[in-house]
Tab-separated table of all heavy atoms in Angstrom:
chain	number	residue	atom	x	y	z
A	1	MET	N	-4.880	1.804	9.902
A	1	MET	CA	-5.971	1.416	9.028
A	1	MET	C	-6.314	-0.036	9.351
A	1	MET	O	-5.439	-0.893	9.387
A	1	MET	CB	-5.515	1.569	7.574
A	1	MET	CG	-6.419	0.947	6.570
A	1	MET	SD	-5.805	1.034	4.866
A	1	MET	CE	-6.166	2.703	4.462
A	2	ASP	N	-7.553	-0.280	9.600
A	2	ASP	CA	-7.998	-1.647	9.842
A	2	ASP	C	-8.157	-2.341	8.491
A	2	ASP	O	-9.036	-2.005	7.697
A	2	ASP	CB	-9.311	-1.651	10.615
A	2	ASP	CG	-9.762	-3.043	11.002
A	2	ASP	OD1	-8.993	-4.004	10.774
A	2	ASP	OD2	-10.869	-3.180	11.540
A	3	ILE	N	-7.298	-3.286	8.224
A	3	ILE	CA	-7.277	-3.953	6.928
A	3	ILE	C	-8.582	-4.689	6.661
A	3	ILE	O	-9.091	-4.682	5.544
A	3	ILE	CB	-6.067	-4.896	6.838
A	3	ILE	CG1	-4.781	-4.080	6.879
A	3	ILE	CG2	-6.115	-5.741	5.579
A	3	ILE	CD1	-3.528	-4.893	6.937
A	4	ASN	N	-9.151	-5.310	7.675
A	4	ASN	CA	-10.383	-6.073	7.482
A	4	ASN	C	-11.554	-5.183	7.088
A	4	ASN	O	-12.403	-5.583	6.290
A	4	ASN	CB	-10.726	-6.849	8.748
A	4	ASN	CG	-9.710	-7.934	9.046
A	4	ASN	OD1	-9.137	-8.507	8.129
A	4	ASN	ND2	-9.464	-8.177	10.306
A	5	LYS	N	-11.619	-3.980	7.619
A	5	LYS	CA	-12.717	-3.068	7.285
A	5	LYS	C	-12.494	-2.372	5.946
A	5	LYS	O	-13.447	-1.907	5.330
A	5	LYS	CB	-12.866	-2.013	8.376
A	5	LYS	CG	-13.359	-2.576	9.687
A	5	LYS	CD	-13.523	-1.499	10.719
A	5	LYS	CE	-13.988	-2.077	12.047
A	5	LYS	NZ	-14.064	-1.053	13.092
A	6	ASN	N	-11.247	-2.280	5.494
A	6	ASN	CA	-10.920	-1.546	4.274
A	6	ASN	C	-10.362	-2.448	3.175
A	6	ASN	O	-9.590	-2.003	2.340
A	6	ASN	CB	-9.893	-0.456	4.610
A	6	ASN	CG	-10.451	0.564	5.549
A	6	ASN	OD1	-11.488	1.139	5.294
A	6	ASN	ND2	-9.766	0.787	6.660
A	7	ILE	N	-10.767	-3.688	3.168
A	7	ILE	CA	-10.224	-4.648	2.209
A	7	ILE	C	-10.551	-4.268	0.763
A	7	ILE	O	-9.710	-4.419	-0.131
A	7	ILE	CB	-10.677	-6.098	2.537
A	7	ILE	CG1	-9.838	-7.112	1.773
A	7	ILE	CG2	-12.134	-6.303	2.247
A	7	ILE	CD1	-8.472	-7.281	2.326
A	8	GLU	N	-11.730	-3.743	0.502
A	8	GLU	CA	-12.095	-3.351	-0.862
A	8	GLU	C	-11.244	-2.182	-1.341
A	8	GLU	O	-10.805	-2.166	-2.496
A	8	GLU	CB	-13.576	-3.000	-0.938
A	8	GLU	CG	-14.482	-4.206	-0.828
A	8	GLU	CD	-15.943	-3.840	-0.986
A	8	GLU	OE1	-16.265	-2.937	-1.771
A	8	GLU	OE2	-16.767	-4.468	-0.312
A	9	ILE	N	-11.005	-1.230	-0.474
A	9	ILE	CA	-10.167	-0.080	-0.827
A	9	ILE	C	-8.753	-0.545	-1.139
A	9	ILE	O	-8.162	-0.127	-2.137
A	9	ILE	CB	-10.161	0.955	0.318
A	9	ILE	CG1	-11.542	1.566	0.490
A	9	ILE	CG2	-9.122	2.038	0.072
A	9	ILE	CD1	-11.696	2.416	1.735
A	10	LEU	N	-8.219	-1.430	-0.309
A	10	LEU	CA	-6.873	-1.944	-0.549
A	10	LEU	C	-6.805	-2.770	-1.826
A	10	LEU	O	-5.836	-2.653	-2.592
A	10	LEU	CB	-6.404	-2.776	0.640
A	10	LEU	CG	-5.968	-1.995	1.868
A	10	LEU	CD1	-5.656	-2.936	3.015
A	10	LEU	CD2	-4.773	-1.131	1.562
A	11	ASN	N	-7.789	-3.587	-2.089
A	11	ASN	CA	-7.797	-4.377	-3.323
A	11	ASN	C	-7.808	-3.481	-4.554
A	11	ASN	O	-7.092	-3.736	-5.527
A	11	ASN	CB	-8.983	-5.338	-3.354
A	11	ASN	CG	-8.756	-6.560	-2.516
A	11	ASN	OD1	-7.619	-6.955	-2.283
A	11	ASN	ND2	-9.837	-7.160	-2.035
A	12	ASN	N	-8.623	-2.449	-4.534
A	12	ASN	CA	-8.649	-1.505	-5.653
A	12	ASN	C	-7.304	-0.802	-5.808
A	12	ASN	O	-6.827	-0.597	-6.919
A	12	ASN	CB	-9.764	-0.482	-5.468
A	12	ASN	CG	-11.129	-1.092	-5.645
A	12	ASN	OD1	-11.294	-2.099	-6.314
A	12	ASN	ND2	-12.121	-0.490	-5.017
A	13	PHE	N	-6.694	-0.434	-4.681
A	13	PHE	CA	-5.390	0.209	-4.704
A	13	PHE	C	-4.337	-0.720	-5.302
A	13	PHE	O	-3.516	-0.304	-6.114
A	13	PHE	CB	-5.005	0.628	-3.279
A	13	PHE	CG	-3.712	1.369	-3.183
A	13	PHE	CD1	-3.577	2.635	-3.716
A	13	PHE	CD2	-2.628	0.805	-2.537
A	13	PHE	CE1	-2.383	3.334	-3.616
A	13	PHE	CE2	-1.433	1.482	-2.422
A	13	PHE	CZ	-1.310	2.748	-2.971
A	14	PHE	N	-4.381	-2.006	-4.929
A	14	PHE	CA	-3.438	-2.979	-5.476
A	14	PHE	C	-3.604	-3.124	-6.977
A	14	PHE	O	-2.625	-3.225	-7.715
A	14	PHE	CB	-3.627	-4.354	-4.828
A	14	PHE	CG	-3.271	-4.418	-3.370
A	14	PHE	CD1	-3.849	-5.377	-2.559
A	14	PHE	CD2	-2.368	-3.543	-2.793
A	14	PHE	CE1	-3.518	-5.473	-1.217
A	14	PHE	CE2	-2.033	-3.614	-1.455
A	14	PHE	CZ	-2.619	-4.584	-0.669
A	15	ILE	N	-4.832	-3.154	-7.437
A	15	ILE	CA	-5.107	-3.318	-8.867
A	15	ILE	C	-4.633	-2.100	-9.649
A	15	ILE	O	-3.999	-2.227	-10.700
A	15	ILE	CB	-6.604	-3.584	-9.096
A	15	ILE	CG1	-6.976	-4.962	-8.541
A	15	ILE	CG2	-6.952	-3.490	-10.582
A	15	ILE	CD1	-8.466	-5.213	-8.455
A	16	ILE	N	-4.913	-0.928	-9.128
A	16	ILE	CA	-4.512	0.302	-9.815
A	16	ILE	C	-2.993	0.400	-9.910
A	16	ILE	O	-2.443	0.751	-10.952
A	16	ILE	CB	-5.095	1.537	-9.097
A	16	ILE	CG1	-6.608	1.574	-9.276
A	16	ILE	CG2	-4.463	2.828	-9.614
A	16	ILE	CD1	-7.317	2.597	-8.420
A	17	ARG	N	-2.299	0.084	-8.815
A	17	ARG	CA	-0.840	0.209	-8.779
A	17	ARG	C	-0.128	-1.004	-9.374
A	17	ARG	O	1.068	-0.974	-9.577
A	17	ARG	CB	-0.377	0.407	-7.334
A	17	ARG	CG	-0.863	1.672	-6.675
A	17	ARG	CD	-0.310	2.936	-7.296
A	17	ARG	NE	1.119	3.044	-7.165
A	17	ARG	CZ	1.758	3.703	-6.218
A	17	ARG	NH1	1.083	4.333	-5.284
A	17	ARG	NH2	3.064	3.735	-6.193
A	18	ARG	N	-0.865	-2.074	-9.667
A	18	ARG	CA	-0.320	-3.287	-10.282
A	18	ARG	C	0.837	-3.874	-9.475
A	18	ARG	O	1.896	-4.183	-10.006
A	18	ARG	CB	0.117	-3.023	-11.710
A	18	ARG	CG	-1.025	-2.613	-12.591
A	18	ARG	CD	-0.598	-2.393	-13.988
A	18	ARG	NE	-1.749	-1.959	-14.758
A	18	ARG	CZ	-1.697	-1.649	-16.020
A	18	ARG	NH1	-0.571	-1.715	-16.672
A	18	ARG	NH2	-2.785	-1.270	-16.651
A	19	PHE	N	0.614	-4.023	-8.187
A	19	PHE	CA	1.619	-4.622	-7.315
A	19	PHE	C	1.694	-6.121	-7.523
A	19	PHE	O	0.690	-6.777	-7.815
A	19	PHE	CB	1.278	-4.365	-5.842
A	19	PHE	CG	1.511	-2.954	-5.392
A	19	PHE	CD1	0.554	-2.300	-4.649
A	19	PHE	CD2	2.694	-2.302	-5.669
A	19	PHE	CE1	0.768	-1.009	-4.205
A	19	PHE	CE2	2.911	-1.014	-5.232
A	19	PHE	CZ	1.948	-0.364	-4.494
A	20	THR	N	2.881	-6.668	-7.341
A	20	THR	CA	3.037	-8.117	-7.365
A	20	THR	C	2.546	-8.677	-6.036
A	20	THR	O	2.238	-7.930	-5.104
A	20	THR	CB	4.513	-8.513	-7.560
A	20	THR	OG1	5.258	-8.061	-6.437
A	20	THR	CG2	5.084	-7.942	-8.839
A	21	LYS	N	2.498	-9.992	-5.932
A	21	LYS	CA	2.017	-10.627	-4.709
A	21	LYS	C	2.877	-10.244	-3.507
A	21	LYS	O	2.349	-9.906	-2.452
A	21	LYS	CB	2.009	-12.146	-4.892
A	21	LYS	CG	1.441	-12.902	-3.732
A	21	LYS	CD	1.413	-14.388	-4.013
A	21	LYS	CE	0.865	-15.154	-2.844
A	21	LYS	NZ	0.827	-16.593	-3.100
A	22	ASN	N	4.189	-10.276	-3.658
A	22	ASN	CA	5.086	-9.916	-2.554
A	22	ASN	C	4.959	-8.446	-2.181
A	22	ASN	O	5.017	-8.089	-1.008
A	22	ASN	CB	6.539	-10.242	-2.910
A	22	ASN	CG	6.786	-11.727	-2.963
A	22	ASN	OD1	6.103	-12.499	-2.297
A	22	ASN	ND2	7.757	-12.139	-3.757
A	23	GLN	N	4.796	-7.586	-3.167
A	23	GLN	CA	4.622	-6.163	-2.892
A	23	GLN	C	3.314	-5.913	-2.159
A	23	GLN	O	3.246	-5.047	-1.289
A	23	GLN	CB	4.651	-5.356	-4.191
A	23	GLN	CG	6.016	-5.311	-4.820
A	23	GLN	CD	5.991	-4.724	-6.212
A	23	GLN	OE1	4.996	-4.848	-6.933
A	23	GLN	NE2	7.071	-4.097	-6.605
A	24	ARG	N	2.277	-6.676	-2.482
A	24	ARG	CA	0.993	-6.524	-1.809
A	24	ARG	C	1.111	-6.875	-0.333
A	24	ARG	O	0.507	-6.222	0.515
A	24	ARG	CB	-0.063	-7.401	-2.468
A	24	ARG	CG	-0.454	-6.918	-3.838
A	24	ARG	CD	-1.413	-7.849	-4.511
A	24	ARG	NE	-1.610	-7.417	-5.888
A	24	ARG	CZ	-2.644	-7.728	-6.614
A	24	ARG	NH1	-3.585	-8.512	-6.137
A	24	ARG	NH2	-2.747	-7.291	-7.847
A	25	ILE	N	1.902	-7.893	-0.028
A	25	ILE	CA	2.110	-8.266	1.373
A	25	ILE	C	2.826	-7.143	2.121
A	25	ILE	O	2.442	-6.780	3.236
A	25	ILE	CB	2.900	-9.591	1.455
A	25	ILE	CG1	2.053	-10.737	0.910
A	25	ILE	CG2	3.341	-9.875	2.889
A	25	ILE	CD1	2.821	-12.022	0.702
A	26	GLU	N	3.840	-6.566	1.492
A	26	GLU	CA	4.568	-5.461	2.120
A	26	GLU	C	3.667	-4.246	2.313
A	26	GLU	O	3.703	-3.592	3.348
A	26	GLU	CB	5.788	-5.084	1.286
A	26	GLU	CG	6.870	-6.125	1.289
A	26	GLU	CD	7.473	-6.327	2.671
A	26	GLU	OE1	7.657	-5.348	3.396
A	26	GLU	OE2	7.757	-7.494	3.009
A	27	VAL	N	2.853	-3.945	1.317
A	27	VAL	CA	1.935	-2.800	1.421
A	27	VAL	C	0.903	-3.047	2.512
A	27	VAL	O	0.556	-2.135	3.264
A	27	VAL	CB	1.251	-2.526	0.060
A	27	VAL	CG1	0.139	-1.499	0.200
A	27	VAL	CG2	2.282	-2.044	-0.945
A	28	ALA	N	0.422	-4.271	2.629
A	28	ALA	CA	-0.534	-4.595	3.687
A	28	ALA	C	0.092	-4.390	5.059
A	28	ALA	O	-0.566	-3.897	5.987
A	28	ALA	CB	-1.025	-6.026	3.543
A	29	ASN	N	1.366	-4.734	5.207
A	29	ASN	CA	2.059	-4.499	6.474
A	29	ASN	C	2.201	-3.007	6.760
A	29	ASN	O	2.041	-2.568	7.897
A	29	ASN	CB	3.437	-5.169	6.469
A	29	ASN	CG	3.342	-6.665	6.541
A	29	ASN	OD1	2.403	-7.212	7.103
A	29	ASN	ND2	4.312	-7.343	5.965
A	30	ILE	N	2.471	-2.233	5.744
A	30	ILE	CA	2.565	-0.783	5.914
A	30	ILE	C	1.185	-0.195	6.190
A	30	ILE	O	1.040	0.759	6.950
A	30	ILE	CB	3.222	-0.134	4.678
A	30	ILE	CG1	4.675	-0.602	4.563
A	30	ILE	CG2	3.157	1.382	4.744
A	30	ILE	CD1	5.355	-0.214	3.272
A	31	ALA	N	0.144	-0.765	5.595
A	31	ALA	CA	-1.221	-0.262	5.795
A	31	ALA	C	-1.668	-0.416	7.242
A	31	ALA	O	-2.469	0.377	7.731
A	31	ALA	CB	-2.190	-0.992	4.872
A	32	ARG	N	-1.145	-1.395	7.932
A	32	ARG	CA	-1.526	-1.608	9.333
A	32	ARG	C	-1.156	-0.421	10.206
A	32	ARG	O	-1.840	-0.142	11.184
A	32	ARG	CB	-0.862	-2.862	9.878
A	32	ARG	CG	-1.425	-4.113	9.297
A	32	ARG	CD	-0.746	-5.322	9.859
A	32	ARG	NE	-1.287	-6.512	9.225
A	32	ARG	CZ	-0.687	-7.668	9.217
A	32	ARG	NH1	0.472	-7.818	9.816
A	32	ARG	NH2	-1.248	-8.698	8.615
A	33	VAL	N	-0.076	0.271	9.883
A	33	VAL	CA	0.345	1.414	10.694
A	33	VAL	C	-0.161	2.742	10.134
A	33	VAL	O	0.034	3.782	10.738
A	33	VAL	CB	1.884	1.458	10.848
A	33	VAL	CG1	2.379	0.232	11.577
A	33	VAL	CG2	2.566	1.607	9.510
A	34	SER	N	-0.807	2.702	8.984
A	34	SER	CA	-1.363	3.910	8.380
A	34	SER	C	-2.779	4.143	8.874
A	34	SER	O	-3.514	3.199	9.121
A	34	SER	CB	-1.373	3.777	6.851
A	34	SER	OG	-0.071	3.533	6.372
A	35	LYS	N	-3.149	5.414	8.992
A	35	LYS	CA	-4.491	5.751	9.473
A	35	LYS	C	-5.544	5.688	8.371
A	35	LYS	O	-6.685	5.354	8.626
A	35	LYS	CB	-4.492	7.153	10.080
A	35	LYS	CG	-3.672	7.249	11.333
A	35	LYS	CD	-3.688	8.645	11.889
A	35	LYS	CE	-2.787	8.724	13.111
A	35	LYS	NZ	-2.707	10.085	13.613
A	36	ASN	N	-5.144	6.034	7.143
A	36	ASN	CA	-6.081	6.025	6.023
A	36	ASN	C	-5.306	5.824	4.721
A	36	ASN	O	-4.094	5.643	4.742
A	36	ASN	CB	-6.905	7.321	5.992
A	36	ASN	CG	-6.030	8.553	5.964
A	36	ASN	OD1	-4.931	8.532	5.431
A	36	ASN	ND2	-6.505	9.637	6.557
A	37	LEU	N	-6.005	5.862	3.599
A	37	LEU	CA	-5.378	5.598	2.309
A	37	LEU	C	-4.356	6.668	1.953
A	37	LEU	O	-3.300	6.366	1.398
A	37	LEU	CB	-6.445	5.481	1.216
A	37	LEU	CG	-5.959	5.038	-0.153
A	37	LEU	CD1	-5.333	3.645	-0.074
A	37	LEU	CD2	-7.088	5.045	-1.161
A	38	GLU	N	-4.641	7.909	2.271
A	38	GLU	CA	-3.707	8.997	1.968
A	38	GLU	C	-2.404	8.832	2.743
A	38	GLU	O	-1.319	9.037	2.201
A	38	GLU	CB	-4.344	10.357	2.264
A	38	GLU	CG	-5.503	10.697	1.347
A	38	GLU	CD	-5.110	10.673	-0.113
A	38	GLU	OE1	-4.028	11.187	-0.467
A	38	GLU	OE2	-5.884	10.117	-0.917
A	39	GLU	N	-2.506	8.452	4.005
A	39	GLU	CA	-1.302	8.233	4.803
A	39	GLU	C	-0.538	7.016	4.286
A	39	GLU	O	0.691	6.997	4.298
A	39	GLU	CB	-1.646	8.052	6.277
A	39	GLU	CG	-0.422	7.994	7.164
A	39	GLU	CD	-0.759	7.990	8.632
A	39	GLU	OE1	-1.651	8.756	9.050
A	39	GLU	OE2	-0.123	7.205	9.359
A	40	LEU	N	-1.259	6.019	3.811
A	40	LEU	CA	-0.612	4.852	3.214
A	40	LEU	C	0.217	5.271	2.005
A	40	LEU	O	1.365	4.847	1.843
A	40	LEU	CB	-1.646	3.802	2.823
A	40	LEU	CG	-1.127	2.590	2.048
A	40	LEU	CD1	-0.107	1.816	2.880
A	40	LEU	CD2	-2.271	1.706	1.629
A	41	LYS	N	-0.344	6.102	1.154
A	41	LYS	CA	0.389	6.586	-0.016
A	41	LYS	C	1.635	7.348	0.403
A	41	LYS	O	2.702	7.181	-0.197
A	41	LYS	CB	-0.515	7.471	-0.875
A	41	LYS	CG	-1.618	6.718	-1.576
A	41	LYS	CD	-2.509	7.667	-2.347
A	41	LYS	CE	-3.696	6.966	-2.964
A	41	LYS	NZ	-4.589	7.913	-3.655
A	42	ASP	N	1.516	8.187	1.420
A	42	ASP	CA	2.673	8.930	1.920
A	42	ASP	C	3.729	7.984	2.482
A	42	ASP	O	4.927	8.170	2.245
A	42	ASP	CB	2.257	9.933	2.997
A	42	ASP	CG	1.478	11.101	2.436
A	42	ASP	OD1	1.580	11.364	1.221
A	42	ASP	OD2	0.765	11.757	3.216
A	43	ASN	N	3.297	6.969	3.212
A	43	ASN	CA	4.243	6.003	3.775
A	43	ASN	C	4.955	5.218	2.682
A	43	ASN	O	6.138	4.906	2.804
A	43	ASN	CB	3.534	5.049	4.731
A	43	ASN	CG	3.114	5.711	6.006
A	43	ASN	OD1	3.615	6.764	6.367
A	43	ASN	ND2	2.175	5.105	6.703
A	44	LEU	N	4.255	4.921	1.602
A	44	LEU	CA	4.888	4.204	0.493
A	44	LEU	C	5.915	5.074	-0.215
A	44	LEU	O	6.933	4.583	-0.697
A	44	LEU	CB	3.839	3.708	-0.498
A	44	LEU	CG	2.961	2.568	-0.008
A	44	LEU	CD1	1.905	2.247	-1.041
A	44	LEU	CD2	3.786	1.344	0.324
A	45	LYS	N	5.652	6.370	-0.284
A	45	LYS	CA	6.626	7.279	-0.895
A	45	LYS	C	7.923	7.282	-0.106
A	45	LYS	O	9.006	7.408	-0.668
A	45	LYS	CB	6.057	8.696	-0.970
A	45	LYS	CG	4.998	8.865	-2.024
A	45	LYS	CD	4.486	10.276	-2.045
A	45	LYS	CE	3.335	10.421	-3.001
A	45	LYS	NZ	2.774	11.778	-2.977
A	46	TRP	N	7.807	7.166	1.204
A	46	TRP	CA	8.997	7.184	2.057
A	46	TRP	C	9.718	5.845	2.057
A	46	TRP	O	10.912	5.783	2.341
A	46	TRP	CB	8.631	7.571	3.486
A	46	TRP	CG	8.366	9.025	3.616
A	46	TRP	CD1	7.149	9.632	3.669
A	46	TRP	CD2	9.341	10.065	3.676
A	46	TRP	NE1	7.316	10.983	3.762
A	46	TRP	CE2	8.639	11.279	3.771
A	46	TRP	CE3	10.732	10.085	3.661
A	46	TRP	CZ2	9.290	12.503	3.854
A	46	TRP	CZ3	11.365	11.302	3.737
A	46	TRP	CH2	10.660	12.492	3.831
A	47	ASP	N	9.040	4.787	1.735
A	47	ASP	CA	9.664	3.475	1.737
A	47	ASP	C	10.561	3.358	0.508
A	47	ASP	O	10.122	3.522	-0.616
A	47	ASP	CB	8.587	2.382	1.728
A	47	ASP	CG	9.175	1.028	2.038
A	47	ASP	OD1	9.820	0.464	1.137
A	47	ASP	OD2	9.010	0.576	3.176
A	48	TYR	N	11.799	3.042	0.729
A	48	TYR	CA	12.797	3.001	-0.344
A	48	TYR	C	12.437	2.019	-1.446
A	48	TYR	O	12.667	2.277	-2.619
A	48	TYR	CB	14.149	2.617	0.247
A	48	TYR	CG	15.257	2.543	-0.766
A	48	TYR	CD1	15.813	3.699	-1.281
A	48	TYR	CD2	15.739	1.310	-1.222
A	48	TYR	CE1	16.822	3.642	-2.219
A	48	TYR	CE2	16.747	1.243	-2.155
A	48	TYR	CZ	17.290	2.408	-2.652
A	48	TYR	OH	18.279	2.348	-3.586
A	49	LYS	N	11.839	0.904	-1.114
A	49	LYS	CA	11.559	-0.139	-2.096
A	49	LYS	C	10.569	0.314	-3.162
A	49	LYS	O	10.571	-0.213	-4.264
A	49	LYS	CB	10.969	-1.373	-1.394
A	49	LYS	CG	11.904	-2.026	-0.437
A	49	LYS	CD	11.174	-3.166	0.274
A	49	LYS	CE	11.956	-3.671	1.441
A	49	LYS	NZ	11.218	-4.666	2.202
A	50	TYR	N	9.697	1.274	-2.836
A	50	TYR	CA	8.616	1.622	-3.745
A	50	TYR	C	8.822	2.971	-4.440
A	50	TYR	O	7.922	3.467	-5.075
A	50	TYR	CB	7.290	1.643	-2.985
A	50	TYR	CG	6.963	0.276	-2.443
A	50	TYR	CD1	7.164	-0.042	-1.113
A	50	TYR	CD2	6.499	-0.710	-3.293
A	50	TYR	CE1	6.885	-1.310	-0.632
A	50	TYR	CE2	6.223	-1.979	-2.833
A	50	TYR	CZ	6.411	-2.275	-1.501
A	50	TYR	OH	6.154	-3.523	-1.032
A	51	ARG	N	9.989	3.542	-4.348
A	51	ARG	CA	10.218	4.848	-4.982
A	51	ARG	C	10.131	4.784	-6.494
A	51	ARG	O	9.729	5.741	-7.121
A	51	ARG	CB	11.563	5.406	-4.556
A	51	ARG	CG	11.568	5.888	-3.139
A	51	ARG	CD	12.815	6.620	-2.818
A	51	ARG	NE	12.812	6.998	-1.410
A	51	ARG	CZ	13.774	7.612	-0.816
A	51	ARG	NH1	14.856	7.937	-1.493
A	51	ARG	NH2	13.699	7.924	0.442
A	52	ASN	N	10.511	3.681	-7.090
A	52	ASN	CA	10.554	3.594	-8.554
A	52	ASN	C	9.309	2.963	-9.160
A	52	ASN	O	9.237	2.812	-10.366
A	52	ASN	CB	11.789	2.803	-8.989
A	52	ASN	CG	13.059	3.555	-8.657
A	52	ASN	OD1	13.099	4.778	-8.736
A	52	ASN	ND2	14.089	2.833	-8.255
A	53	ILE	N	8.337	2.596	-8.350
A	53	ILE	CA	7.110	2.024	-8.885
A	53	ILE	C	6.223	3.154	-9.392
A	53	ILE	O	6.015	4.147	-8.716
A	53	ILE	CB	6.368	1.207	-7.807
A	53	ILE	CG1	7.176	-0.022	-7.468
A	53	ILE	CG2	4.968	0.811	-8.290
A	53	ILE	CD1	6.576	-0.868	-6.383
A	54	LYS	N	5.708	3.004	-10.594
A	54	LYS	CA	4.872	4.056	-11.175
A	54	LYS	C	3.425	3.749	-10.948
A	54	LYS	O	2.992	2.695	-10.811
A	54	LYS	CB	5.142	4.161	-12.668
A	54	LYS	CG	6.543	4.603	-12.946
A	54	LYS	CD	6.796	4.670	-14.423
A	54	LYS	CE	8.234	5.087	-14.653
A	54	LYS	NZ	8.606	5.124	-16.017
């Protein structure tokens, strides 16, 4: 996922999920290897740090 082209989508996602500043940085790093928002969500499910975030 190109972060620069999808910045609005990522910002909305951050607001909805209520990530902290550090979590947003980690999610942005994961978003770089994701193809789209759905794959990003799947990648976050697999990441151990974010399993307990609602």
